[in-house]
Amino acid sequence: MTQPDTHVVILGGGFAGLAAARGLAGSGVRITLVDRENHHLFQPLLYQVATAGLSAPDIAYPIRSIFQNRPDVTVFLGEATSVDLAQRRVSGPQGSLTYDYLVLATGGVTSYFGHPEWEPFAPGLKTIGDAQRIRRHVLSAFERAEITPDTSERKKLMTLVVVGGGPTGVELAGALAELTRHVLVNDFRHIDPELARIVLLDRAERLLTMYPPDLSENARATLEAMGVEVRLKTGVVNVQQGRVDTGTEVIEAENILWAAGVGASPLTATLGVELDRAGRVKVGPDLSVPGHPEVFAIGDLAAVTDVDGQLVPGIAPAAMQMGSHVARIIREDLDSSKSEKKPRSAFDYLDKGSMATIGRSAAVFKAGPVKLTGFLAWTAWLFVHLLFLVGFRNKAVVLVQWAWNYVTYGRGARLIVRPGQE
Ligand SMILES: Cc1cc2nc3c(=O)[nH]c(=O)nc-3n(C[C@H](O)[C@H](O)[C@H](O)COP(=O)(O)OP(=O)(O)OC[C@H]3O[C@@H](n4cnc5c(N)ncnc54)[C@H](O)[C@@H]3O)c2cc1C
């Protein structure tokens, strides 16, 4: 089954794009994988980099290295800015590429619900750059609080607001509580980091709305026991430099972190096809773009309903399963082009469970009827996350670092590196 002239272009080397490229190994097609970053990023652990628990290289790996033994894969560092479906061409500032098959896997972006002007004051967490910026800003605020003689300024510097009570917001708030209550606790002479105020806001009635209510309640109680103020049914009406307005209160906070919304990669808007409200491509059952069987949209930029009619969540395992599915379809297409055409199979999502960590030895986990909380859930979380660190050779490093942090409450990645000096 060799089709040396078939060119598959994959845009995005995230979970979905990598799974597609891996699934096409040995198929004989020529693959070009384009990503605007030179690394694959394990986003589920970004909050650890933002809160000084891990360093950037612990959770990112050069895409070029991942494919160093795959001569069929060419990796380009570049940004795709438009797709011309009629001409079968992808373009960007670095040039353009034509394709026989196109796999769109450029993921999502942080969404500010129609208020992009809030972004400079409330950074989101999506890239290594975001995580490093947050870490620098959080640690610098404590340094400035140690120096300032002004009590109200000190209070503001030591207030951190996390907007959004989904898994990322819960993980961030928990990790910030640990950072201030345990890691920084003995480091300062004029301030007591334990008195830092950490507020988690969400307009919903409970945290982690995608989990059963008892797990949401467990997460809320655990965070409150760690010293986090959890404010539910509290939306945000305005964000300015160092100020969050909830409509009933203005919170003065040097650090405001946005974990509230996700939208699709802006690339989808150039396709001229139907999108959902978040800008995701409404794909067919086989994950192809309607009217274009040679183009697939997968991962966070696709709105997918699987064979059971269930909406597929925007999480890493779903993105990987979609990548594998598309690879299988392309293989079957190439096989059947020699014989009789077979109908394409529909994507069938296998829910292996989901989990969110809250802090040191606390997490929530659900898989079908199985629900776990506390240390058991945290152990499951740790195991799964290490397992999925895409064959990174630094898996062992991450494990040792975690174990060390766990025992000592240490935070080796606590350096403040000024912008431009990284
Ligand atoms: C902070 C955070 C925590 C998360 N925690 C979890 C978790 O605990 N468990 C879980 O399962 N999921 C989690 N997720 C969700 C999970 O990371 C996503 O569902 C998954 O990454 C989606 O995979 P993807 O391949 O669609 O997109 P991504 O992994 O985002 O990959 C997209 C790739 O496309 C590249 N790209 C983007 N635009 C362009 C362009 N124009 N041109 C070229 N390249 C481009 C990007 O650089 C990136 O490499 C989390 C996400 C975040 C942000």
Side-chain angles (χ1 to χ4, degrees):
M1 187 187 77
T2 311
Q3 303 279 340
D5 298 330
T6 304
H7 185 207
V8 179
V9 172
I10 301 175
L11 300 182
F15 289 100
L18 284 195
R22 286 185 161 144
L24 286 168
S27 64
V29 300
R30 184 164 57 88
I31 299 168
T32 305
L33 191 150
V34 183
D35 200 296
R36 65 179 173 198
E37 308 284 356
N38 81 333
H39 52 263
H40 169 76
L41 175 62
F42 193 80
Q43 291 174 13
L45 290 177
L46 262 179
Y47 81 96
Q48 287 269 349
V49 175
T51 56
L54 292 171
S55 302
D58 297 335
I59 66 159
Y61 201 69
I63 297 173
R64 212 167 271 296
S65 303
I66 295 171
F67 293 106
Q68 63 187 1
N69 297 321
R70 287 275 305 273
D72 56 323
V73 180
T74 300
V75 176
F76 285 145
L77 175 65
E79 174 146 24
T81 50
S82 67
V83 177
D84 183 335
L85 292 176
Q87 298 297 321
R88 297 191 177 191
R89 179 179 294 122
V90 177
S91 303
Q94 290 81 13
S96 58
L97 285 168
T98 53
Y99 58 81
D100 298 303
Y101 284 97
L102 176 65
V103 181
L104 295 160
T106 47
V109 291
T110 303
S111 160
Y112 288 80
F113 305 125
H115 290 282
E117 72 279 10
W118 295 351
E119 197 270 342
F121 315 123
L125 186 58
K126 196 72 196 148
T127 64
I128 282 286
D130 294 339
Q132 288 174 326
R133 181 159 63 123
I134 290 172
R135 183 174 65 193
R136 181 166 57 239
H137 206 251
V138 168
L139 295 177
S140 299
F142 283 90
E143 296 297 335
R144 286 161 57 206
E146 173 80 347
I147 290 170
T148 184
D150 180 332
T151 5
S152 59
E153 173 71 3
R154 190 181 304 136
K155 194 170 159 211
K156 179 177 171 183
L157 286 166
M158 291 175 62
T159 302
L160 302 108
V161 174
V162 178
V163 184
T168 301
V170 165
E171 287 172 350
L172 262 177
L176 288 171
E178 287 187 339
L179 181 72
T180 53
R181 269 64 177 167
H182 300 287
V183 181
L184 300 181
V185 74
N186 294 320
D187 288 7
F188 294 89
R189 300 295 167 259
H190 298 102
I191 58 166
D192 182 355
E194 255 187 296
L195 300 180
R197 184 178 175 208
I198 299 160
V199 187
L200 176 61
L201 303 176
D202 199 297
R203 63 182 169 194
E205 291 196 339
R206 59 187 179 95
L207 298 173
L208 304 174
T209 48
M210 63 298 290
Y211 287 78
D214 53 334
L215 295 190
S216 300
E217 181 49 27
N218 181 281
R220 187 195 60 75
T222 308
L223 282 173
E224 287 185 347
M226 292 165 75
V228 176
E229 271 176 53
V230 178
R231 302 272 193 89
L232 298 170
K233 294 190 255 176
T234 308
V236 168
V237 297
N238 196 14
V239 182
Q240 291 168 307
Q241 175 75 53
R243 290 163 68 89
V244 188
D245 187 349
T246 66
T248 52
E249 187 193 359
V250 173
I251 307 173
E252 302 260 343
E254 180 65 15
N255 276 286
I256 304 163
L257 310 180
W258 191 263
V262 187
S265 159
L267 194 61
T268 60
T270 71
L271 298 170
V273 299
E274 195 185 350
L275 308 177
D276 74 357
R277 280 180 55 202
R280 295 177 303 179
V281 181
K282 289 188 172 180
V283 291
D286 61 345
L287 305 179
S288 69
V289 173
H292 291 274
E294 75 287 3
V295 181
F296 300 89
I298 57 174
D300 279 5
L301 61 61
V304 183
T305 309
D306 89 342
V307 279
D308 304 324
Q310 84 182 75
L311 261 179
V312 179
I315 55 173
M320 287 191 277
Q321 288 178 33
M322 289 185 217
S324 306
H325 182 81
V326 160
R328 208 162 32 246
I329 285 189
I330 294 176
R331 282 172 174 278
E332 285 170 3
D333 262 14
L334 297 176
D335 272 351
S336 63
S337 63
K338 293 181 200 152
S339 51
E340 149 202 355
K341 278 248 180 269
K342 278 192 262 165
R344 286 178 170 183
S345 52
F347 177 66
D348 189 4
Y349 172 57
L350 176 61
D351 183 359
K352 294 181 184 162
S354 35
M355 51 183 75
T357 175
I358 308 164
R360 186 180 145 100
S361 62
V364 290
F365 171 83
K366 76 157 171 97
V370 179
K371 294 188 273 184
L372 298 176
T373 57
F375 185 69
L376 216 53
W378 185 81
T379 312
W381 175 88
L382 182 69
F383 177 75
V384 168
H385 281 76
L386 285 174
L387 203 70
F388 274 106
L389 277 177
V390 286
F392 289 0
R393 64 166 175 239
N394 46 7
K395 228 184 255 188
V397 175
V398 178
L399 181 61
V400 169
Q401 194 148 1
W402 258 339
W404 182 250
N405 279 342
Y406 184 75
V407 177
T408 63
Y409 275 125
R411 277 290 198 271
R414 223 152 76 202
L415 306 184
I416 301 175
V417 183
R418 275 180 277 156
Q421 297 189 348
E422 287 99 344

